[in-house]
């Protein structure tokens, strides 16, 4: 696993990218929290060359100032695929990344071979609204994100440093990534995918953690109605981050679908 | 019962002062938030926020009727008693200050006041689509009032803009700067022009009416402590007003930041380029101060500022530089909600300047000098202060405090003040219909 930098659109974007494995390429897009668990990258790298870019504004990826709205982000995605030489690839993606992946597959259907959308955003259902996670406290958010809020990972996510410098640094990092998420998801994570999703031709696997208290699993049927060729996998014992809570179960359904 | 207005003479304690290069004086503007004064006693225990998701069943329209009329009366009284300006402002979906359209209040005030500056502080210009709506309404107010408008352009609080009006926090500031650019062009460009912005596109910009004041009304920028705003105000030549309830200490920190930035940009450090908001309560005696205002001050801090932290600072609302500087909003940090404050705490911390005339005069003089401000906005009605008490506070403040402080900063010229017409037209007589006798 190594970190590289990909120059996109003649250097307008310098995109931080994690790469691992060999073989046919696979594009891995992170979610709104900007985290990709190592176990996911390593697991997928057993069968693919994994390419996992960070969306501009996350981590060390630059060029966010060139992106004003979600349409701009879609074109960044297409430009990144050009720069990375990705022609006919599967995409595995989470939440915000899944919303982007669906748009890439609608814009250029011939270029995406398969889609794995984990807890995807992009459709709005008043009966099953995506939770407004922007307003949650770190503790409230951790409790909503994890199926098991008392796990070590959930507890770590819930804690805020007590000293002044640590607290300012914590809120700085939080503001930095959530600001980017807000640009594409505020105030409602719907940018019109339903008007374009008919173009998606890639076989699509919809994956939800059974206890996802951020992005309701009930949305799966809306995605199934919006995209032609879908199947659904529900991961027990996982919340909004199945890759963190149940990586083996998640890898198993993804590998089965991609094989 | 409705009573038609009778004329009433008040003894104005403040002599008119010519405001020109030789005679500028520190200005006092009476600010009114118009809070909802009758939230239940257990509001802050029972509900999470006074803003955004406050239950609507707590709103009683018949009580709001009184509160709106009381507010207008208080501002008109403040004007008659010699306040240099009267201020109204914009907030949404809250009980803290329920004037979603301050322009409606200002229009009512324009007809029943004269000479006083109408300080609309302001319109959150990024919320209007297209923003020339603000250019038009402000121009209307300036024309109606005979050139008495001060035009305030706030970004708006996060609760108002990002939550109440759904504006994207990541692009709000960019949208704000574009709106300011468009409004200033609409006011200053004599020709029809097109505007091709990121957020607003207009093929024909040609507002009618245009403002009476030349080249435009004074521009005041109410800031909440974002560090980028300091340099921007200095470069644009706009007044920077820090509206905070966090007391003198934080006020000093923010205003020092503004003045340091101004100095680094080669400003002449004119105090009239800065304003500050202060809660003020005056009583004849220590006992009266506590009895009259204590509970209302506590209501303001413990109920009106009871904002759920998640609604205080949408991610991206503050720039990363501001977050890094540690200038987070007072209510931003989860788990940091302060314990209920007492009136005594609030006086000691300087959140509320309360006391006898001499005590208040001394403290305000210190604030004016230490913060280097030529404009002091005064809240005489705050929290649950009822109408009669508010009127009493306005009377004592204007009679016993302000006359002793106006001379400050007379060696600087106030370039951020209104330029009214010399002989404006007032309202015509009020018509009283009488039923013609049946034949």
């Amino acid at each position: 696993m190594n970190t590289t930098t990909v120059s996109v659109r003649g250097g307008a974007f310098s995109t931080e990218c994690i790469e691992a494995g060999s073989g046919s390429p696979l594009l891995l897009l992170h979610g709104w929290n900007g985290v990709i668990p190592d176990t996911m990258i390593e697991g997928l790298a057993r069968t693919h060359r994994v390419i996992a870019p960070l969306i501009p504004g996350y981590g060390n990826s630059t060029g966010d100032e060139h992106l004003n709205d979600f349409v701009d982000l879609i074109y960044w995605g297409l430009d990144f695929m050009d720069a990375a030489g990705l022609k006919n690839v599967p995409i595995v993606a989470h939440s915000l990344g899944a919303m982007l992946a669906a748009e890439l597959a609608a814009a250029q259907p011939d270029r995406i071979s398969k889609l794995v959308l984990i807890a995807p955003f992009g459709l709005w259902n008043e009966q099953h609204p995506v939770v407004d996670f922007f307003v949650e406290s770190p503790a409230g958010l951790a409790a909503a994100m994890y199926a098991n809020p008392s796990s070590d990972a959930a507890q770590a996510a819930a804690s805020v440093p007590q000293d002044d410098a640590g607290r300012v640094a914590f809120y700085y990092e939080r503001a930095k990534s959530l600001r980017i998420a807000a640009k594409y998801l505020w105030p409602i994570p719907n940018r019109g995918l339903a008007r374009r999703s008919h173009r998606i031709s890639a076989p699509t696997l919809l994956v939800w953690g059974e206890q996802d208290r951020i992005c309701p699993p009930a949305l799966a049927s809306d995605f199934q109605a919006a995209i032609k060729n879908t199947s659904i996998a529900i991961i027990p014992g996982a919340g909004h981050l199945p890759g963190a809570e149940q990586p083996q179960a998640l890898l198993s359904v993804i590998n089965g679908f991609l094989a | 019962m409705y009573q038609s207005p009778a004329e009433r003479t008040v003894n104005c304690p403040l002599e008119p002062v010519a405001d020109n290069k030789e005679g500028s004086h520190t200005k006092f503007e009476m600010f009114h938030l118009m809070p909802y004064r009758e939230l239940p006693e257990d509001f802050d225990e029972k509900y999470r926020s006074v803003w955004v998701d406050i239950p609507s069943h707590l709103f009683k329209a018949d009580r709001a009727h009184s509160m709106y009329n009381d507010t207008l009366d208080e501002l008109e009284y403040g004007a008659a008693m010699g306040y240099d300006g009267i201020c109204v402002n914009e907030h949404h979906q809250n009980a803290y200050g329920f004037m979603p359209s301050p322009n409606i209040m200002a229009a009512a005030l324009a007809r029943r006041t004269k000479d006083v500056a109408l300080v609309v502080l302001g319109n959150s210009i990024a919320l209007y689509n297209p923003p020339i709506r603000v250019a038009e309404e402000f121009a209307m107010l300036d024309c109606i009032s005979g050139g008495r408008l001060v035009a305030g352009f706030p970004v708006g609080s996060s609760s108002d803009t990002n939550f109440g009006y759904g504006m994207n926090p990541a692009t709000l500031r960019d949208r704000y700067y574009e709106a300011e650019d468009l409004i200033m062009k609409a006011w200053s460009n004599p020709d029809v022009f097109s505007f091709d912005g990121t957020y607003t596109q207009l093929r024909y910009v040609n507002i009618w009416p245009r403002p009476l004041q030349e080249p435009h009304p004074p521009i005041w920028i109410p800031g909440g402590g974002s560090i980028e705003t300091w340099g921007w105000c200095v470069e644009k030549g706009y007044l920077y007003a820090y509206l905070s309830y966090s007391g003198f200490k934080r006020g000093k920190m923010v205003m020092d930041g503004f003045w340091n930035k101004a100095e680094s940009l080669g400003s002449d450090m004119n105090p009239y380029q800065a304003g500050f908001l202060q809660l003020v309560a005056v009583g004849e005696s220590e006992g009266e101060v506590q009895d009259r205002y204590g509970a209302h001050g506590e209501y303001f801090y413990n109920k009106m500022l009871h904002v759920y932290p998640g609604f205080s600072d949408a991610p991206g609302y503050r720039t990363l530089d501001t977050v890094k500087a540690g200038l987070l909003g007072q209510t931003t940090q989860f788990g940091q909600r302060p314990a209920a404050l007492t009136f005594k705490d609030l006086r000691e911390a300087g959140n509320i300047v309360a006391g006898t005339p001499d005590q208040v005069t001394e403290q305000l003089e210190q604030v004016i000098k230490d913060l280097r401000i030529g404009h002091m906005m005064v809240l005489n009605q705050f929290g649950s202060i009822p109408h009669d008490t508010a009127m009493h506070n306005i009377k004592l403040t204007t009679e016993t405090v302000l006359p002793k402080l106006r001379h400050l900063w007379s060696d600087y010229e106030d370039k951020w003040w209104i330029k009214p017409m010399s002989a404006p037209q007032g309202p015509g007589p009020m018509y009283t219909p009488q039923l013609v006798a049946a034949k």
Side-chain angles (χ1 to χ4, degrees), chain B residues 44-76:
Chain B
D44 41 326
E45 291 149 31
K46 215 163 160 185
Y47 305 102
R48 73 169 179 174
S49 191
V50 77
W51 230 296
V52 183
D53 63 356
I54 179 171
S56 65
H57 68 82
L58 298 176
F59 180 81
K60 308 286 182 230
D62 58 337
R63 298 302 304 135
H65 165 76
S66 290
M67 292 178 203
Y68 278 117
N69 281 287
D70 287 348
T71 296
L72 292 166
D73 287 345
E74 286 157 24
L75 288 164
E76 287 169 7

Side-chain angles (χ1 to χ4, degrees), chain B residues 91-397:
Chain B
H91 289 297
H92 300 280
Q93 301 194 171
N94 75 101
Y96 155 95
F98 59 110
M99 290 185 211
S101 171
N103 300 355
I104 289 175
M105 302 296 274
L109 293 166
R111 292 272 291 177
R112 299 234 305 181
T113 57
K114 53 179 191 180
D115 306 331
V116 74
L118 301 172
V119 185
V120 182
L121 209 56
N123 284 185
S124 301
I125 55 178
L127 299 184
Y128 297 91
N129 187 10
I132 54 164
R133 177 80 189 184
V134 175
E136 291 172 331
E137 291 194 3
F138 273 179
M140 280 180 74
L141 286 168
D142 206 38
C143 287
I144 293 169
S145 67
R148 291 189 282 134
L149 179 78
V150 171
F153 296 158
V155 172
S157 79
S158 186
S159 312
D160 292 319
T161 56
N162 305 132
F163 292 96
Y165 268 39
M167 282 290 156
N168 195 313
T171 49
L172 178 71
R173 269 164 214 281
D174 199 32
R175 188 183 278 270
Y176 169 83
Y177 290 128
E178 182 178 301
E180 183 269 342
D181 182 41
L182 170 57
I183 291 168
M184 296 311 286
K185 282 183 175 140
W187 278 350
S188 58
N189 195 331
D191 302 313
V192 181
F193 65 96
S194 340
F195 188 84
D196 179 29
T198 304
Y199 307 97
T200 300
Q201 286 186 311
L202 294 166
R203 192 66 184 82
Y204 303 100
V205 182
N206 183 25
I207 60 161
W208 280 63
R210 304 174 77 91
L212 192 143
Q213 295 180 77
E214 293 285 351
H216 53 72
I219 309 293
W220 292 17
I221 308 297
S226 290
I227 61 178
E228 290 76 10
T229 310
W230 299 335
W232 186 73
C233 281
V234 174
E235 279 160 10
K236 288 271 180 181
Y238 297 159
L239 179 145
Y240 178 75
Y242 182 45
L243 308 185
S244 141
Y245 316 103
S246 310
F248 173 74
K249 200 171 155 197
R250 185 178 163 88
K252 172 83 178 143
M253 183 172 86
V254 170
M255 293 313 299
D256 280 354
F258 171 74
W259 287 121
N260 289 339
K261 187 71 191 177
E263 194 164 31
S264 75
L265 293 171
S267 145
D268 60 359
M269 308 292 282
N270 186 328
Y272 291 107
Q273 194 168 1
F276 185 71
L277 175 76
Q278 184 62 56
L279 282 72
V280 173
V282 188
E284 305 280 10
S285 67
E286 187 58 36
E288 186 200 324
V289 171
Q290 176 66 41
D291 292 349
R292 263 191 203 273
Y293 304 109
H296 305 302
E298 290 169 10
Y299 180 98
F300 181 78
Y301 279 89
N302 299 326
K303 291 190 169 53
M304 298 287 93
L305 299 181
H306 179 71
V307 180
Y308 171 63
F311 295 148
S312 297
D313 252 327
Y317 172 75
R318 277 173 215 280
T319 61
L320 290 175
D321 284 343
T322 298
V323 176
K324 198 180 253 172
L327 284 171
L328 293 162
Q330 294 300 286
T331 53
T332 302
Q333 298 176 44
F334 290 96
Q336 302 288 309
R337 270 184 139 158
L341 294 160
T342 66
F343 190 55
K344 185 163 170 283
D345 299 334
L346 295 164
R347 288 179 71 182
E348 279 168 7
N351 295 40
I352 301 177
V353 171
T356 61
D358 286 348
Q359 290 171 333
V360 171
T361 303
E362 188 187 332
Q363 281 191 60
L364 290 186
E365 178 162 357
Q366 193 194 344
V367 173
I368 290 165
K369 286 180 174 166
D370 284 5
L371 271 54
R372 200 179 173 83
I373 50 159
H375 293 270
M376 171 162 278
M377 280 144 270
V378 175
L379 275 180
N380 277 145
Q381 194 288 337
F382 51 81
S384 49
I385 288 182
H387 181 57
D388 291 350
T389 306
M391 298 293 268
H392 176 76
N393 196 16
I394 294 164
K395 185 173 196 297
L396 286 187
T397 304

Side-chain angles (χ1 to χ4, degrees), chain A residues 68 132 134-138 167-168 171-172 174-176 178-179 182-187 191, chain B residues 162-163 166-171 174 198-199 308 310-311 314-316 320 323-324 326 333-334:
Chain A
N68 205 60
D132 186 7
F134 290 111
V135 308
E136 289 298 328
S137 66
R167 199 167 56 242
V168 168
Y171 279 105
Y172 178 82
R174 186 174 190 270
K176 185 167 174 282
L178 279 183
R179 178 185 163 275
K183 185 184 282 193
Y184 308 119
L185 302 174
W186 192 280
R191 294 292 188 271
Chain B
N162 305 132
F163 292 96
M167 282 290 156
N168 195 313
T171 49
D174 199 32
T198 304
Y199 307 97
Y308 171 63
F311 295 148
L320 290 175
V323 176
K324 198 180 253 172
Q333 298 176 44
F334 290 96

